Amino acid sequence: MLTCGAAGPEAFEQWRALISDTFVPLTATPTTDRPFRGELRVVTHPAVQLTEVRAQGQHVARTRQLIAGSCEDYLLASIQLGGRGRVEQDGRTAVLTPGAMTFYDSTRPYVLHFDDAFEQLVVQLPRRPLLAAAGIPDDGVHLTAVALEAGGPGSVLAGFFSSLALVHDRDPVGAAQLSAHAPGLLASALRLAAGQGAGPEDAGLERERVLAHLRRHAADPHLDADTVAAACHLSRRALFRLFEGHESWASALRRIRVERAAGLLLTQPRRPVAAIGTACGFAGEAQFHRAFRQVVGCTPAEHRGRGGGTQRR
């Protein structure tokens, strides 16, 4: 976690330097005279860089002068987690509310406006390979500062990348494997931002939408194929076909429940094991123990006793 909390004008100068080092060279001005505080949490994988930003109000700009003096070539996606923001680029303005996302391009000027305190997740990838993967011309001018609204792909990607950042803390190897899906998911979102719609090649985004539903409702012990398919506006057959060649939806649900339980076993050491299994969506203690051993490689009690140091089988 990188923080900036010095007193006086020096605080914001530290912040400006911090965000320029983390993303690309930027100018920035605060929106109030109140003491400034901001935090960055950076998670870097071979395929993608994720940065959680929590800060007070500010206006941030990537100017022509800064572009001329640097060689950064990135596409960035801002996913709003809290507060409101605006992204201006290529003559358009996208308003960001929680769950919405938009792209901006480091090779052309842009401005980010946050009038008050905000929280967002910024996903950063090399620009040219991502545009090529999406089949979009190299300039990409028709996809920047286009809001993908909450409840759609923005929310799906917010859930995926937020979960990826959390998994990184517990299982860096597993998180690195998951991060390999990031370019494909973002390429799907780019096509939507460019007005091309999702095609058959964008099944990864649809699959992630189902996984986001599973994460939200994993505590429901009655979750089954029919209820998941109906909630995601899919037929039962389409749900199963969506996961062909991948971890099945049922295995994904089991894993999500077990990962949630594994965390609770450590953070709530006095809570009964059976109660944790019930809270995480398991219908009975035997089912919980069986699933936990299959995913983690030991019993819940052993996991708790070892402080989470058990290796998966």
Side-chain angles (χ1 to χ4, degrees):
M1 180 76 74
L2 307 174
T3 63
C4 176
E10 296 82 4
F12 201 82
E13 282 306 306
Q14 289 181 12
W15 177 254
R16 187 198 62 76
L18 191 60
I19 59 175
S20 292
D21 289 342
T22 302
F23 303 114
V24 293
L26 300 162
T27 65
T29 55
T31 58
T32 71
D33 295 330
R34 291 176 295 179
F36 181 83
R37 183 169 181 82
E39 296 179 349
L40 298 179
R41 178 174 179 266
V42 182
V43 176
T44 302
H45 295 289
V48 65
Q49 175 177 299
L50 308 176
T51 305
E52 295 177 354
V53 185
R54 296 178 181 85
Q56 293 172 324
Q58 59 196 274
H59 299 305
V60 179
R62 174 84 164 151
T63 65
R64 294 189 184 280
Q65 183 177 6
L66 289 173
I67 293 168
S70 63
C71 58
E72 286 81 0
D73 189 357
Y74 295 110
L75 269 177
L76 302 99
S78 281
I79 302 171
Q80 201 73 6
L81 303 178
R84 294 174 63 91
R86 303 189 309 280
V87 178
E88 297 177 0
Q89 190 170 45
D90 298 324
R92 289 183 296 273
T93 299
V95 177
L96 292 179
T97 56
M101 70 168 290
T102 192
F103 291 95
Y104 45 103
D105 188 330
S106 72
T107 66
R108 297 192 300 282
Y110 61 79
V111 182
L112 311 177
H113 298 281
F114 304 100
D115 296 329
D116 299 299
F118 69 98
E119 180 179 351
Q120 67 171 192
L121 183 66
V122 180
V123 186
Q124 183 171 336
L125 289 93
R127 172 179 170 277
R128 291 178 183 273
L130 186 55
L131 289 173
I136 291 173
D138 187 62
D139 58 17
V141 295
H142 51 306
L143 58 84
T144 52
V146 174
L148 298 177
E149 300 293 346
S155 293
V156 171
L157 291 171
F160 173 81
F161 287 114
S162 296
S163 297
L164 181 60
L166 291 173
V167 170
H168 175 82
D169 295 337
R170 298 195 306 265
D171 183 2
V173 175
Q177 293 172 341
L178 286 174
S179 74
H181 299 290
L185 290 172
L186 284 174
S188 298
L190 280 174
R191 285 189 281 270
L192 292 173
Q196 297 181 6
E201 71 277 15
D202 295 323
L205 191 58
E206 187 74 358
R207 190 163 50 250
E208 186 54 39
R209 187 170 68 88
V210 174
L211 291 173
H213 179 82
L214 296 181
R215 294 186 194 102
R216 289 194 301 271
H217 299 279
D220 180 0
H222 303 295
L223 211 57
D224 60 17
D226 291 330
T227 56
V228 171
C232 296
H233 307 290
L234 297 168
S235 68
R236 182 187 173 96
R237 182 179 179 183
L239 173 65
F240 284 98
R241 189 168 58 243
L242 197 59
F243 284 82
E244 288 178 355
H246 299 269
E247 176 186 38
S248 71
W249 79 269
S251 294
L253 177 59
R254 180 185 63 188
R255 174 179 52 78
I256 290 166
R257 286 171 169 166
V258 167
E259 288 175 351
R260 194 166 295 176
L264 291 177
L265 286 165
L266 301 182
T267 59
Q268 301 180 15
R270 296 186 179 181
R271 190 174 183 182
V273 169
I276 287 178
T278 299
C280 293
F282 291 98
E285 190 170 359
Q287 184 194 60
F288 177 37
H289 278 251
R290 184 169 57 252
F292 201 94
R293 184 179 286 278
Q294 288 172 339
V295 174
V296 180
C298 67
T299 68
E302 289 170 343
H303 173 80
R304 173 178 273 171
R306 298 171 187 174
T310 309
Q311 295 295 318
R312 293 183 183 179
R313 289 181 176 175

